Structure formats: structure tokens, C-alpha cells
């Protein structure tokens, strides 16, 4: 009866979509919006800020004109435009430092001149500047060679490489910018280059996507150390917080999450281990697409584990609780930093649609669920939840009931508890054996002491007799008599025979 009242984790599929209703997948990092709507909202905010700045500039200009008029008491006011022009110039510089237009990224920088007649290989050779030496790692060089080999057959390959190289080098000088501003620079570059490629390839989306994948791989491999978990953000603090939170939830069981997975089945157990491995491996990748691929593989292993257990296709209500269980068991390193990195620098179209976008959105939901996890989510009272979080209570062990009434995965948990009981019993038996060994050692010491005392008592009761000198002399003369009377033949001498 109790099992029928258990409430699983439910997530309506509409909650994964953009809150603007555009049909694309939303993201918690973008306040539930997709990348397209998020950029549009940002543009509106910027336009609003520009209008407010202009209004402020006009008000300051008017005030200064009035002050100037009152000071000089001129009948005919000739308004000066110097204060306003200086304010406009200052605001323009401020805006240009935060939001760089994409056209600047496609103009070779004066700090890094490119030779017109140089080949792609010559352009990719590192300059003696500090920015080039910073990106001289093996991974960066390998990504550069792959990118060049990919672009060689393309008619505009040289121009694409110039643009990407100039952009990555310009990003090195923006390391002090906020992470959102760096992300906007990268996303603007993606969008502008994608539009140019669509025009060049006449709308061939597949070809454009292939080129953009290589562009992302080249750029983000070179920029990884600069933009992943930058010091200007609190990503590291969030990483430590979620890691500590997951450790505190180590007691959460499959039954509490209503996970439809039976780890006693060998294939299911293998899929669970692979899913955990994939989500942990995400941190070792540099490219957003490769990190997303780890999440996708993890999700497919989860679907396989559910399918084998239930002998039917898994539903969304089965997938999300199992994903939460996998994240809790894996406790992936730098989880929040990886999510933020993918959100900021992945090709936006990849997060808006497709299986990568779907699985990534579910991971974001799983992390948000873990952060807000409470007793009600686990079918526990608030008191029970607090006792578990403080370590004063542990999950109750399932009773030995019929297999039909046991929830999926309870067999594995029961087997684990049986092994714990066995280990506890072995520990008690070992302690008993050690106690008996110590008692035997004590008994042996007492017995040895007792034997020594008895031997000493006997020796003291029967003292040894004094030796007889005459008998000793007679015994010593026996051999001397034999030597004198015995005539032995001379010893044999070796002889040499001639043969």
C-alpha cells in the first residue's frame, strides 16, 4: 500500500522549452530562454541602456548650457557641443570596449600582421608574441593542423582561417572582460560567420554546420585556458558548492528517487558504470561539442539501462530521476564550470535543437533539482530529511518480501545490506578468535612458569653427588692401554703405474 503512494520525479516536457514559446530548448543559465531569445533580450536591454545614456547626456548638456548662460549673461546663447561630444565619445569608447562589433574580428589586427602570399601553414606558425607562445600546447597545435587540413579543399578556406586566427588572438587581450561579454563576442563571431557561410554555400545547412563544428573546435581549443572557469566569475565557488551538496546526499537511494533500474542485471550494471564514466569524462574535454557528446553518451546508456530493466522503452519520467541518480553517484568534477562553459561558448544552434540540446537541458534540470532537493522530493518528512543530512539516520533496509512487491533496484540494495551484515559478522568472529588467541598465549606463559618451578623443586630435593677421582682416572687409561698394545700396519702409499 505504501509503494502505491510513492511519488516519482515528474518533469513536463514543456518545462524544457524556451519560456518565450519559440519551440527551442531553454536553459537555466539564460533564465529559461533559448540562445536566440536570450540574445534578443540582451539586445533590447542594451538598446534601452543606450537610450538612457543619450537621455542622460542630453540632460547634462542642457544643464551645462544653462549654467554657461547664467555665468556669462549672454542675451543670445550659442550652445556649445563640446561637453556633449566628449560625453558621447566617452560612452562610445565604453560601449566598444564591452560589445565589439563583429566586423572588427574580420579585419587583421595591426599587432598580428598576416602576409598576403603566405600559405595556411605559414600563417599558422607561432609569432614571437606572448599570446602565440601561450597557445603553443600540443592540443592547440594539433587542432590547428586539423583545421588547416579541413579548410584546404574549400575555396574560401584561407579567408576563414584568417578570420578565426585573428579573432582568437584578439580574444587574448580581452581576458579581463566579464564572462558574459566574452561569450557574447564568441557568439557574435559564430553568428556572423555562419551567415556568411550560408550565403556562400547557398543555404546548404549541412555544409555550414560541418565548417562551424571545425571552427568551434579550433577556436575553443586555443581559448580553453583563457575562458574556462575564468577568475572574473564565481564558477569555482559554484563547483565547490554543488560538490559539497552531492557529498551530503550520499545516502539517497534508488528507491527514494523511484529510479526504474535493477543493477543486479549485469547489462544494466554495466550501462550504469558507463554512464557514470561518460559524465565524469566530460571535464577532460576542451571543445563544447565534445563535452556535449559525453552527456549524450551518458544519456543513451541510461536509456539502455531502463529499457533492459523494464523491457520497454523508457519515458521522460523514467529518464530524469535516473539521470539525477547517475549525477549523485558520479559527482562529476567542476560540474557547474562545464555547464557554464558549454552554455557560453557552444554553437548556439546545437543547444536549441537536437538530441545534444535535449540531453544538456535535462542535465541542467538535474543539477537544479539536486540544489533544491528536499524531503518532499524524496517522499520523506522534513524531520527525516534533516536526520539523514546530519548523519543521524540512514536509509531503512528493505524487508525480505516477495519479489513482486519489491521496487526496481531493491534486490541490489538488499544484497548490499546482506554483505554489510556478513562483514559485521566476520568482524565479530575475528574479535572472538583474537580474544581466544590472547587467552591461549597467557595460558602457555603460565604453564611454562609452572613447569620451571617444578623442575627447580626436583633439582633442589636431589642434589648431585661429588665425582670419584679413581673412577675417572681408570676410565681415561683405557684408551692408552689399547694404543700401546695395538700394532697397526703402515699406511698405504699411492703408486704410479705405467700403462
Amino acid at each position: 500500500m505504501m509503494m502505491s503512494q510513492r511519488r516519482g520525479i515528474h518533469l513536463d516536457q514543456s518545462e524544457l522549452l524556451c519560456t518565450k514559446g519559440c519551440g527551442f530548448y531553454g536553459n537555466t543559465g539564460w533564465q529559461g530562454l533559448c540562445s536566440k531569445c536570450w540574445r534578443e533580450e540582451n539586445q533590447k536591454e542594451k538598446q534601452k541602456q543606450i537610450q538612457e545614456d543619450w537621455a542622460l547626456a542630453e540632460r547634462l548638456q542642457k544643464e551645462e548650457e544653462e549654467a554657461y548662460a547664467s555665468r556669462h549673461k549672454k542675451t543670445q546663447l550659442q550652445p556649445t557641443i563640446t561637453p556633449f561630444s566628449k560625453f558621447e565619445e566617452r560612452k562610445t569608447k565604453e560601449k566598444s570596449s564591452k560589445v565589439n562589433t563583429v566586423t572588427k574580428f574580420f579585419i587583421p589586427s595591426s599587432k598580428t600582421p598576416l602576409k598576403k602570399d603566405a600559405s595556411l601553414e605559414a600563417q599558422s606558425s607561432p609569432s614571437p608574441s606572448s599570446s602565440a607562445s601561450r597557445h603553443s600546447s600540443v592540443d592547440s597545435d594539433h587542432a590547428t593542423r586539423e583545421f588547416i587540413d579541413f579548410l584546404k579543399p574549400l575555396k574560401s578556406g584561407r579567408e576563414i582561417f584568417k578570420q578565426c586566427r585573428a579573432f582568437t588572438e584578439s580574444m587574448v587581450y580581452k581576458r579581463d572582460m566579464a564572462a558574459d561579454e566574452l561569450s557574447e563576442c564568441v557568439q557574435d563571431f559564430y553568428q556572423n560567420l555562419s551567415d556568411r557561410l550560408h550565403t556562400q554555400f547557398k543555404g546548404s545547412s549541412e555544409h555550414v554546420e560541418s565548417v562551424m563544428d571545425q571552427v568551434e573546435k579550433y577556436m575553443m581549443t586555443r581559448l580553453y585556458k583563457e575562458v574556462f572557469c575564468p577568475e572574473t566569475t564565481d564558477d569555482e565557488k559554484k563547483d565547490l558548492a554543488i560538490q559539497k551538496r552531492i557529498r551530503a546526499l550520499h545516502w539517497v537511494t534508488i528507491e527514494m528517487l523511484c529510479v526504474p533500474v535493477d543493477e543486479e542485471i549485469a547489462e544494466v550494471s554495466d550501462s550504469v558504470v558507463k554512464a557514470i564514466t561518460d559524465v565524469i569524462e566530460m571535464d577532460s574535454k576542451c571543445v563544447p561539442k565534445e563535452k556535449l557528446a559525453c552527456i549524450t553518451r551518458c544519456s543513451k546508456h541510461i536509456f539502455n539501462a531502463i529499457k533492459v530493466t523494464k523491457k520497454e522503452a523508457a519515458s521522460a519520467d523514467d529518464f530524469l530521476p535516473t539521470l539525477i541518480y547517475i549525477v549523485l553517484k558520479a559527482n562529476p568534477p567542476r560540474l557547474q564550470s562545464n555547464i557554464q562553459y558549454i552554455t557560453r561558448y557552444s554553437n548556439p544552434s546545437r543547444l536549441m535543437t537536437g538530441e545534444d540540446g535535449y540531453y544538456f537541458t535535462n542535465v541542467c534540470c538535474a543539477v537544479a533539482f539536486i540544489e533544491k532537493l528536499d524531503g518532499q522530493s524524496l517522499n520523506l518528512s522534513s524531520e527525516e530529511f534533516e536526520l539523514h543530512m546530519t548523519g543521524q539516520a540512514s536509509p531503512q533496509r528493505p524487508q525480505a518480501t516477495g519479489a513482486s512487491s519489491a521496487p526496481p533496484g531493491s534486490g541490489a540494495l538488499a544484497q548490499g545490506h546482506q554483505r554489510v551484515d556478513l562483514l559485521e559478522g566476520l568482524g565479530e568472529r575475528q574479535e572472538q578468535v583474537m580474544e581466544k588467541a590472547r587467552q591461549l598465549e597467557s595460558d602457555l606463559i603460565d604453564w611454562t612458569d609452572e613447569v620451571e618451578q617444578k623442575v627447580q623443586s626436583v633439582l633442589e630435593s636431589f642434589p648431585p653427588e661429588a665425582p670419584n677421582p679413581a673412577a675417572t682416572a681408570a676410565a681415561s687409561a683405557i684408551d692408552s692401554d689399547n694404543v700401546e698394545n695395538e700394532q697397526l700396519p703402515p699406511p698405504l702409499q699411492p703408486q704410479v703405474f705405467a700403462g
Side-chain angles (χ1 to χ4, degrees), residues 83 121 214 231 266 297-298 389 410-411 427 472:
E121 288 84 351
Q214 294 296 323
E231 296 180 357
R297 290 196 302 270
C298 168
M389 290 296 291
S410 61
T472 303

Side-chain angles (χ1 to χ4, degrees), residues 65-113:
E65 287 176 350
E66 292 176 353
Y68 181 82
S70 62
R71 284 195 306 268
H72 296 278
K73 297 180 181 181
K74 291 183 177 181
T75 56
Q76 190 173 8
L77 178 64
Q78 183 68 28
T80 177
I81 61 172
T82 303
F84 177 74
S85 62
K86 289 184 178 180
F87 179 86
E88 182 182 2
E89 181 181 357
R90 185 168 63 253
K91 293 300 296 182
T92 303
K93 288 182 179 180
E94 181 180 354
K95 291 298 178 182
S96 62
S97 64
K98 293 183 179 179
V99 185
N100 293 277
T101 57
V102 183
T103 54
K104 293 182 181 180
F105 300 143
F106 292 89
I107 300 175
S109 173
S110 59
K111 297 181 181 179
T112 55

